[in-house]
Amino acid sequence: MPQDTQLMLQLVRSRGGMAHPLSRTAKGSRKYPRNTVARRRPKARLDDPQVIPPAVPGQCVLFPAHRTITSDHLSGISDRRWPEGDLLASLVAEVATERGVSETWQRLAARRLRAVLSMRDADGELSVAPEYLDQVPGSATAGVLEVLRRAGLLLPRKRPRPVRWPTGSCGHCGCWGVTQRLCRGCECWKHDTGRYPTGSCGRCRRELPLSAQERLCRGCLIHVREHGEHDRAPFTQLQLALGKHPVRQLKHRADRLGYDTTDRSWGKRHTARARRRPVPRTVSAHLTDPHQPALFTLDRDWSRVAARNVDELPAMTTNAQQLLEEFTQFCRAQMRRVNPDPHGHAGALRALRIVLAHLGAAAPVHERDLRALAVLDRNINAPRVIGFLAQRGMLIPDPARTADRHLAAVDRLIASFPAPMDSELRRWVTVLQGQGRRRHPALPTATIRSYLQCAAPTLRMWTEHTTTLAAITRQDIRDVLDLAPGRPARTAQQYLRSIFRALKQERLVFHDPTRGITLPAQVRLPSPVPSDRLTGLLQQAHTPLARLLVALVAVHALLPSQAAEIQLDELDLAHGALRLPRRTIYLETLTTELLTQWLRMRQQTWPACSNPHLLVSSQTALDPSGPPVSKMLLSTPFDRTGLTARALWQDRVLNEARHSADPVHLMRLFAISDSTAMKYVHAAHPEKTGRVHP
């Protein structure tokens, strides 16, 4: 007599549970009785008024908001009703009959229709915009649009659909499931030219990065290792791969359906690799002697050493092995909260192992050697090793790193110009630093670097017909200003006037070609940010650092660049104040709580952090030079909100100007200039200017 067969499918990294047992008998009746008591219970009506609430009738919405609709939101409005609900239900059934789809499609379509109708009511509209469907998860988009079109509720699309990342195959190994041209493994092979030189593959004959021993590309090497040595040239087919891993690696337990787990190819490869490994290893002959002074300093070439495996490095001394063990414990203590995996510090451990194996641990390590290794191998984490060695007094800092990074960038940029223009630009930088023939207030090096970067395209255009700024005429200045009308022209006029005024002062040019050239003034009054766009800003920030940065900008009017320069010793939590060089910020309850959360996370994540700045990241926390966080990290919290930090800053200052028309109060509170304070007072109180701005 045939028995019921329990089918089971086990998937890797799947959240699905086991298959339900077969509950029907041979006659087709149910083995277990139905739960009729639960069916007789009254079902609660789901219409949460807080989920996509409708607008007040007669109220105009300034602009439609971009929403993020989840399945929980859709469940909260599953019983919401509309006057056109019966018409839409009949049209859904009509479209389903024409397309021959199941009832599941009708339920999905009705679910998305309820979402777009709720969004229509929230925006105070009478029809549905196709952009609403871009904000609702699910399928059946074409069918829902057809239903709305037949009901006469569909508006024409105003914005294009959001671009989705295409999924395809790797261009080298053919692995499917990547969103770029190459998968991660082939991308590493492409950039590591020392270990994987480019050449003709011995199997597929393509010009790709090859394994130095097998002379095969990565795709053919995986295929040959999985299917044996007999599958070499002239064969060119590859084993398909899914999810960036070969199919043969998808293995399960022996008593479950799936691939056969008796394959021991990995163990064979591991044994063969162990046999090829050279067993005897001697200590390096280039160990550094701390008592022997150096005659002169040369940069070491680590290109051949960085490409070696661990088993190819020289044997380590006892002191070097002990220092390596201390570094391992240091990394695990640093990563116990961020990444509990003990192997997460492999890149930093490799850098220290290479240096200690060749130079030993008797003398301090040069920072330049670690930086050079990081350039050759992008998997090496040099800042973590540098911070560890600096704490133990085992690091010789790089003099080039201790200098001002902005001045170093200015020197590199000036060196790219021909003579004598480079010497003229250096004299201009000297004047901006307050060291010219006449005494001037020195500008910050970051401002000097910004001026030079803005002027570089114009200067390079002039180098096509001259090599000295003394040959520049008034017509050349006007031609540059005509190429960039409006605000860019005023910016160009500012840095060009700075250059030629400095050269005229230093007597390097006879006349100033920018003198007498004026541009029409453009007065742009700041505009406020709508209150509905400010709602939920902190909820959109997912980390303590992001929430603290949003609060400093939106509440206390600190720009991200100013927040990045805050020092730890400027924070006085006992008195609830942040004492900055130009202003003192008194902290309220919200900002104090966010600061406490961030300081607690900082201490738990980087307990040995020596960076003096309040805001740190994984790249700057252990850097001995103590740099501020990058601009990309500062802009990330505001990219999620759709608002810029400058817009939030202007809205905060403008809101304060509405409550107080005193420009002196604004100058003291936000540390702004008198002209900026007057501009915001005029924007908030146009009647005080004697004219009403449009």
Side-chain angles (χ1 to χ4, degrees):
M1 180 176 181
Q3 300 293 331
D4 294 341
T5 302
Q6 172 63 55
L7 298 180
M8 186 179 302
L9 180 63
Q10 182 175 356
L11 300 177
V12 176
R13 299 179 181 178
S14 176
R15 297 184 179 179
M18 307 296 290
H20 294 286
L22 299 174
S23 59
R24 295 182 180 274
T25 61
K27 296 181 180 181
S29 60
R30 292 183 176 272
K31 186 177 180 180
Y32 304 102
R34 298 175 181 266
N35 189 359
T36 57
V37 177
R39 289 172 175 254
R40 291 196 297 268
R41 296 174 183 171
K43 183 179 179 182
R45 188 169 182 267
L46 297 178
D47 187 3
D48 191 352
Q50 297 182 356
V51 178
I52 319 179
V56 178
Q59 180 180 2
C60 297
V61 180
L62 296 179
F63 50 86
H66 182 80
R67 303 173 179 86
T68 302
I69 309 299
T70 62
S71 57
D72 296 337
H73 297 149
L74 298 179
S75 301
I77 58 173
S78 58
D79 293 335
R80 187 170 293 182
R81 299 291 183 265
W82 287 272
E84 55 269 50
D86 297 337
L87 174 62
L88 293 176
S90 60
L91 291 176
V92 168
E94 178 182 342
V95 173
T97 304
E98 295 176 359
R99 300 192 175 192
V101 294
S102 61
E103 295 181 358
T104 304
W105 183 92
Q106 300 184 35
R107 290 194 297 270
L108 292 176
R111 185 183 178 93
R112 302 194 75 184
L113 282 171
R114 286 192 293 270
V116 298
L117 290 177
S118 300
M119 296 166 67
R120 178 202 65 176
D121 296 343
D123 290 342
E125 300 288 346
L126 299 178
S127 301
V128 178
E131 289 80 4
Y132 292 161
L133 289 172
D134 300 336
Q135 309 170 22
V136 183
S139 56
T141 302
V144 173
L145 292 175
E146 179 64 22
V147 170
L148 294 173
R149 187 187 61 81
R150 294 185 182 183
L153 299 176
L154 186 64
L155 295 174
R157 177 176 285 273
K158 299 180 181 179
R159 292 176 294 180
R161 294 182 178 179
V163 180
R164 307 294 183 186
W165 286 103
T167 303
S169 300
C170 175
H172 287 183
C173 68
C175 169
W176 187 86
V178 296
T179 58
Q180 300 179 358
R181 194 178 69 87
L182 299 179
C183 65
R184 185 174 182 180
C186 292
E187 190 73 23
C188 295
W189 279 44
K190 176 183 176 181
H191 293 285
D192 196 352
T193 57
R195 299 180 61 182
Y196 308 105
T198 304
S200 178
C201 178
R203 183 174 178 272
C204 64
R205 307 302 180 187
R206 293 183 298 171
E207 292 291 332
L208 296 174
L210 305 178
S211 172
Q213 298 178 356
E214 304 290 341
R215 304 301 299 174
L216 296 176
C217 65
R218 184 171 178 271
C220 292
L221 183 62
I222 295 176
H223 184 89
V224 170
R225 286 182 176 179
E226 294 293 341
H227 298 278
E229 295 290 336
H230 63 279
D231 195 3
R232 281 184 175 265
F235 300 99
T236 58
Q237 66 273 12
L238 293 176
Q239 171 67 39
L240 295 180
L242 180 64
K244 304 182 183 179
H245 295 284
V247 176
R248 292 284 293 176
Q249 294 183 2
L250 186 65
K251 300 176 182 179
H252 309 284
R253 298 190 307 181
D255 57 339
R256 298 287 184 241
L257 296 178
Y259 286 94
D260 185 14
T261 61
T262 59
D263 183 18
R264 303 299 180 186
S265 59
W266 181 87
K268 295 178 182 179
R269 294 196 305 270
H270 182 73
T271 304
R273 191 180 297 111
R275 291 176 181 175
R276 295 193 303 266
R277 184 179 305 164
V279 179
R281 292 191 298 169
T282 59
V283 180
S284 174
H286 307 285
L287 296 179
T288 306
D289 187 359
H291 303 289
Q292 181 179 2
L295 296 178
F296 48 87
T297 304
L298 290 177
D299 294 337
R300 294 183 176 91
D301 184 9
W302 296 90
S303 57
R304 295 186 178 182
V305 178
R308 295 180 181 178
N309 297 325
V310 177
D311 53 354
E312 298 175 350
L313 296 176
M316 301 183 64
T317 61
T318 305
N319 296 336
Q321 188 65 35
Q322 182 179 359
L323 187 61
L324 196 65
E325 297 265 347
E326 295 178 2
F327 179 69
T328 303
Q329 299 299 329
F330 171 79
C331 289
R332 290 180 178 178
Q334 291 288 337
M335 304 171 64
R336 66 175 181 266
R337 185 183 184 279
V338 179
N339 184 12
D341 183 11
H343 302 288
H345 59 278
L349 193 64
R350 172 176 171 79
L352 186 59
R353 181 182 283 112
I354 291 175
V355 173
L356 295 181
H358 285 84
L359 303 180
V365 179
H366 286 271
E367 182 182 357
R368 288 181 299 179
D369 294 333
L370 296 171
R371 300 284 183 183
L373 282 173
V375 172
L376 295 174
D377 189 353
R378 63 178 183 176
N379 295 323
I380 289 179
N381 189 351
R384 182 172 297 168
V385 184
I386 293 173
F388 169 76
L389 295 177
Q391 292 179 4
R392 282 160 176 74
M394 292 288 296
L395 182 72
I396 300 178
D398 186 3
R401 292 276 176 174
T402 57
D404 192 341
R405 58 189 181 94
H406 297 295
L407 285 181
V410 168
D411 292 337
R412 290 193 301 268
L413 190 56
I414 291 179
S416 62
F417 290 97
M421 186 179 293
D422 56 348
S423 60
E424 295 171 345
L425 293 176
R426 293 186 191 278
R427 186 67 67 86
W428 169 55
V429 172
T430 303
V431 173
L432 295 182
Q433 292 176 340
Q435 302 174 6
R437 295 179 61 252
R438 300 176 185 175
R439 179 173 297 181
H440 295 286
L443 291 181
T445 55
T447 305
I448 299 175
R449 180 182 180 181
S450 177
Y451 275 19
L452 184 58
Q453 288 177 345
C454 294
T458 303
L459 297 175
R460 296 192 188 282
M461 181 179 64
W462 286 341
T463 55
E464 297 178 358
H465 59 84
T466 183
T467 58
T468 175
L469 295 176
I472 301 302
T473 62
R474 183 184 297 269
Q475 185 61 36
D476 295 331
I477 302 296
R478 292 189 179 277
D479 293 341
V480 171
L481 299 181
D482 292 340
L483 293 176
R487 186 174 181 181
R490 297 187 62 84
T491 304
Q493 182 191 25
Q494 180 180 2
Y495 63 71
L496 290 178
R497 181 177 296 174
S498 173
I499 292 175
F500 286 101
R501 279 184 177 179
L503 297 182
K504 181 69 167 55
Q505 171 188 312
E506 298 299 312
R507 300 177 180 177
L508 295 180
V509 296
F510 292 102
H511 66 283
D512 181 5
T514 62
R515 184 176 182 181
I517 297 180
T518 59
L519 294 176
Q522 295 181 353
V523 179
R524 292 190 177 184
L525 296 180
S527 57
V529 178
S531 58
D532 53 348
R533 299 194 68 184
L534 296 175
T535 305
L537 279 180
L538 289 179
Q539 286 72 17
Q540 299 181 29
H542 303 297
T543 62
L545 176 60
R547 289 191 288 269
L548 175 60
L549 190 60
V550 171
L552 290 177
V553 174
V555 178
H556 300 286
L558 270 179
L559 291 175
S561 58
Q562 298 173 347
E565 298 296 336
I566 299 177
Q567 306 289 322
L568 276 176
D569 54 5
E570 296 173 349
L571 178 61
D572 187 4
L573 283 179
H575 298 85
L578 188 60
R579 307 185 187 281
L580 302 180
R582 299 183 57 189
R583 56 185 291 200
T584 299
I585 298 177
Y586 295 97
L587 306 175
E588 81 290 350
T589 306
L590 175 62
T591 309
T592 303
E593 182 180 353
L594 295 177
L595 271 169
T596 305
Q597 295 177 3
W598 162 244
L599 291 176
R600 185 182 299 112
M601 176 185 174
R602 169 180 167 144
Q603 176 62 25
Q604 293 176 355
T605 308
W606 305 287
C609 176
S610 59
N611 196 311
H613 293 87
L614 174 65
L615 307 181
V616 296
S617 64
S618 58
Q619 300 295 328
T620 63
L622 302 177
D623 196 331
S625 60
V629 293
S630 63
K631 295 181 179 180
M632 182 179 297
L633 180 65
L634 296 174
S635 62
T636 301
F638 304 99
D639 294 340
R640 300 177 181 272
T641 63
L643 296 172
T644 61
R646 174 63 67 174
L648 293 176
W649 184 89
Q650 292 180 353
D651 180 78
R652 175 66 183 92
V653 179
L654 188 60
N655 181 70
E656 187 68 25
R658 289 198 186 99
H659 295 81
S660 174
D662 185 6
V664 179
H665 171 71
L666 299 181
M667 295 169 59
R668 292 177 177 176
L669 183 61
F670 301 115
I672 57 180
S673 62
D674 54 350
S675 59
T676 305
M678 291 300 302
K679 182 176 69 172
Y680 280 90
V681 170
H682 292 166
H685 304 279
E687 69 278 0
K688 295 183 179 296
T689 62
R691 55 180 179 177
V692 179
H693 295 279

